[in-house]
């Protein structure tokens, strides 16, 4: 083949090479398809639902806790502070005085759980009812036995109340100890201390006394139930 033929044979190859697309070095950016977008939105909606439910439950827990605190404070302000005090009334054997005395406005006794010193053992205490600032309600004062100790307001009622004392037989009295035909009752502690409205006697609160029925030993009696000398 001559030189002219060879040159003519190379011309189509050069033309074919020139017709090939030239790469610019940039990659094509691929976007989200409609299906991928819908899946993403579904996942986000599911996560938001879980988050909203968790926030709602936390809000409910906080609301219930707040209501419980308010309810407990209301119960405490209406006399439940004296519940432990009166539930632990004691009748010490020492002395000739009655372990508990009471009227419609005051009572005095001994308790193993005094308000101001719950771990001090058996301590004397006093409770007193007085009118509140409005004159229409009552406040309950705790009178500590410690010298120079100030009275503590432990309860308040919007109505005027007074003490009542219920014996084991169900009879109520406005004083304690009660009096019978044979003289002062030998039972030292009432079955319950009640608070009733001063106007109509309606029951407001009642504090049971677990140690009710305790009796003081007669003078000269043997606590072991035998008269034999050891």
């Amino acid at each position: 083949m001559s030189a002219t033929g060879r040159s003519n044979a190379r011309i189509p190859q050069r033309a074919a090479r020139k017709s090939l697309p030239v790469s610019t070095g940039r990659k094509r950016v691929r976007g989200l398809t409609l299906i991928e977008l819908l899946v993403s939105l579904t996942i986000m909606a599911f996560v938001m639902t879980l988050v909203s439910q968790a926030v709602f439950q936390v809000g409910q827990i906080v609301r219930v806790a707040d209501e419980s605190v308010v309810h407990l404070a209301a119960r405490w302000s209406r006399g439940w502070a004296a519940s432990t005090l009166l539930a632990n009334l004691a009748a010490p054997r020492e002395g000739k005085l009655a372990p508990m005395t009471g009227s419609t406005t005051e009572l005095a006794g001994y308790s193993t759980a005094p308000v101001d010193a719950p771990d001090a053992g058996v301590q004397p205490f006093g409770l007193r009812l007085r009118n509140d600032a409005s004159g229409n309600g009552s406040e309950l004062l705790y009178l500590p036995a410690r010298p120079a100790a100030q009275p503590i307001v432990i309860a308040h009622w919007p109505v005027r109340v007074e003490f009542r004392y219920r014996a084991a037989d169900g009879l109520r009295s406005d004083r304690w100890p009660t009096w019978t035909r044979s003289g002062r009752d030998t039972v030292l502690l009432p079955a319950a201390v009640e608070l009733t409205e001063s106007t109509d006697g309606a029951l407001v609160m009642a504090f049971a006394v677990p140690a009710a029925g305790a009796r003081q030993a007669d003078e000269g009696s043997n606590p072991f139930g035998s008269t034999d000398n050891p």
Side-chain angles (χ1 to χ4, degrees), residues 136-151:
N136 299 321
S138 295
E139 292 179 340
L140 180 61
L141 297 179
Y142 172 78
L143 309 176
R146 294 179 290 106
Q150 297 297 320

Side-chain angles (χ1 to χ4, degrees), residues 29-163:
V29 179
R30 178 175 171 272
L32 293 175
T33 63
L34 179 61
I35 295 178
E36 292 174 341
L37 182 62
L38 291 177
V39 171
S40 300
L41 292 177
T42 302
I43 295 174
M44 291 180 61
F46 180 71
V47 172
M48 291 300 296
T49 301
L50 294 179
V51 171
S52 62
Q53 289 180 354
V55 172
F56 176 76
Q57 290 179 357
V58 170
Q60 289 290 98
I61 293 173
V62 172
R63 182 181 62 81
V64 172
D66 291 340
E67 291 179 355
S68 299
V69 171
V70 172
H71 181 64
L72 180 61
R75 290 181 59 188
W76 183 268
S77 66
R78 288 185 174 89
W80 287 99
S83 177
T84 304
L85 176 72
L86 297 176
N88 290 276
L89 285 174
R93 305 175 68 89
E94 296 81 3
K96 299 293 184 180
L97 298 178
M100 176 179 165
T101 58
S103 64
T104 56
T105 58
E106 293 188 20
L107 70 85
Y110 296 83
S111 177
T112 58
V115 173
D116 58 334
D119 298 326
V122 179
Q123 295 292 324
F125 73 93
L127 293 176
R128 179 184 301 161
L129 288 169
R130 72 177 183 186
N131 297 338
D132 62 4
S134 67
N136 299 321
S138 295
E139 292 179 340
L140 180 61
L141 297 179
Y142 172 78
L143 309 176
R146 294 179 290 106
Q150 297 297 320
I152 305 172
V153 178
I154 62 173
H156 174 265
W157 293 272
V159 295
R160 300 278 295 276
V161 298
E162 57 188 14
F163 289 119

Side-chain angles (χ1 to χ4, degrees), residues 194-218:
E194 299 178 346
L195 287 167
T196 60
E197 293 190 25
S198 302
T199 54
D200 56 4
L203 181 64
V204 176
M205 296 194 73
F207 306 99
V209 179
R215 297 174 182 269
Q216 193 172 24
D218 296 335

